[in-house]
Amino acid sequence: MRNKQYYQECFKDYPDIVNLEQFREMLGGIGDSTARKLMREKKVKHFCIRHTYMIPKAYVIEYVLSEHYAEYKYSLKVQI
């Protein structure tokens, strides 16, 4: 099982706050609508400023360690 330190290392080149495109990339290239759905359903903590999603990297790591992602990742084509 992967832990927080593993993902901190994986995502070290990303800024502390990522945009939607970077978030999609971090999750292995998920689609735009899938990423937005995760935001709408509040599966990933984020901020929305002037219609722009801003996701702290710590929240991305929190999400990939979550139970939801553990179940959800099996439906993804690419896994991180």
Side-chain angles (χ1 to χ4, degrees), residues 15-58:
D16 289 338
I17 303 207
V18 298
N19 60 30
L20 192 62
E21 174 114 6
Q22 293 165 319
F23 172 69
R24 292 174 49 210
E25 190 178 289
M26 292 168 89
L27 293 188
I30 64 171
D32 186 70
S33 60
T34 302
R36 290 176 187 275
K37 182 179 177 184
L38 290 170
M39 301 298 151
R40 277 192 317 271
E41 293 179 352
K42 300 188 184 330
K43 301 293 183 189
V44 180
K45 294 179 189 174
H46 64 282
F47 303 96
C48 193
I49 301 170
R50 294 186 184 181
H51 306 290
T52 302
Y53 288 110
M54 306 298 286
I55 308 111
K57 183 168 44 177

Side-chain angles (χ1 to χ4, degrees), residues 56-69:
K57 183 168 44 177
Y59 292 166
V60 177
I61 293 170
E62 184 179 301
Y63 174 67
V64 295
L65 293 172
S66 74
E67 193 173 306
H68 179 268
Y69 184 73

